Amino acid sequence: ISLSNQFEYRRVHKRYEALVIGRPEPSQPSLNKETEDYDDVEKGSFLIDEPINVEGRGLLNAQTTLRVLSTIDHLHWGALSHVDLRPKTGRTHQLRIHCAGLGCPIVGDDLYWKMGDDSRQQQRNGKNVGEEEIVPLPSVRKGQGGLYLQSVGATFVHPRTGVEMTIEAPVANKFNMLLGRARRANEYDTKTAPAA
């Protein structure tokens, strides 16, 4: 099968990593079920099954699996989560829209930041309030490292040999730099906090 046909018929399995604001949790309405029925995702992944409005075509089915790799407290955003995302469909901006719809927009996403903040406000107003206070988002700052979303892998069948191949790329250093800054800020805050 040609590579273009594999993309067209959704036989290429893509994997992305992103840094998102907040803590995506299974109790959120969009993360409604575990993904044990998918053989290409790891245990602990959840399915976002929310249609996306595509201009000129209306609402189209869109599915993404999400797995939280790590979460750390963040002084301004409440939390910062490193997530693994695997689109099951290939809609334009699908990953960005799905994360924002959870109230967990991708760091640096100036296009869907407002949507993420609106989702957080809905959660705060009682639709999905967890144990922690949901922090309103500050406005996105442009020019601060760009969008923290990266393709880190793809699996497909080689069109000539018929052998399944997986191509992987390491996550960009900017991810580790931002996570490191957040960890150091937490350590500093813990060390300087007055004793109770």
Side-chain angles (χ1 to χ4, degrees):
I1 293 179
S2 74
L3 199 51
S4 61
N5 282 344
Q6 290 181 65
F7 274 103
E8 183 179 349
Y9 295 108
R10 298 186 184 135
R11 293 189 179 151
V12 176
H13 301 283
K14 298 172 271 186
R15 189 169 76 81
Y16 296 80
E17 288 185 21
L19 294 183
V20 300
I21 306 304
R23 289 181 167 82
E25 306 226 0
S27 61
Q28 290 170 294
S30 296
L31 291 178
N32 50 16
K33 59 183 173 181
E34 281 204 66
T35 55
E36 61 271 346
D37 53 336
Y38 290 109
D39 59 0
D40 65 328
V41 294
E42 297 178 36
K43 185 150 180 65
S45 296
F46 289 86
L47 182 67
I48 303 169
D49 189 4
E50 293 290 324
I52 290 178
N53 192 4
V54 177
E55 190 173 330
R57 297 177 64 197
L59 282 176
L60 297 178
N61 178 45
Q63 295 181 326
T64 301
T65 62
L66 178 145
R67 184 169 58 95
V68 177
L69 302 173
S70 66
T71 300
I72 60 174
D73 291 333
H74 192 279
L75 296 174
H76 299 291
W77 297 328
L80 181 65
S81 295
H82 186 186
V83 297
D84 176 273
L85 300 165
R86 300 183 189 204
K88 297 297 170 191
T89 51
R91 309 295 178 215
T92 302
H93 296 183
Q94 173 178 321
L95 302 177
R96 296 167 70 182
I97 292 169
H98 276 167
C99 288
L102 293 174
C104 299
I106 297 171
V107 173
D109 193 348
D110 56 344
L111 187 59
Y112 296 103
W113 196 261
K114 172 98 171 75
M115 178 184 179
D117 194 40
D118 290 347
S119 294
R120 290 168 75 90
Q121 297 304 323
Q122 288 175 355
Q123 292 172 24
R124 176 184 290 144
N125 292 334
K127 288 190 176 182
N128 185 32
V129 176
E131 296 174 13
E132 297 181 28
E133 177 66 22
I134 298 169
V135 179
L137 291 177
S139 59
V140 67
R141 291 187 291 174
K142 294 184 181 184
Q144 299 292 315
L147 185 66
Y148 282 75
L149 171 67
Q150 178 186 328
S151 173
V152 294
T155 301
F156 57 92
V157 174
H158 192 284
R160 288 198 181 143
T161 66
V163 174
E164 184 175 271
M165 298 180 65
T166 298
I167 307 294
E168 294 183 336
V171 71
N173 191 40
K174 71 179 187 176
F175 282 63
N176 296 324
M177 289 175 56
L178 183 58
L179 289 167
R181 280 195 306 266
R183 280 189 194 94
R184 286 190 302 279
N186 286 338
E187 289 167 6
Y188 177 80
D189 190 49
T190 302
K191 289 177 186 175
T192 60

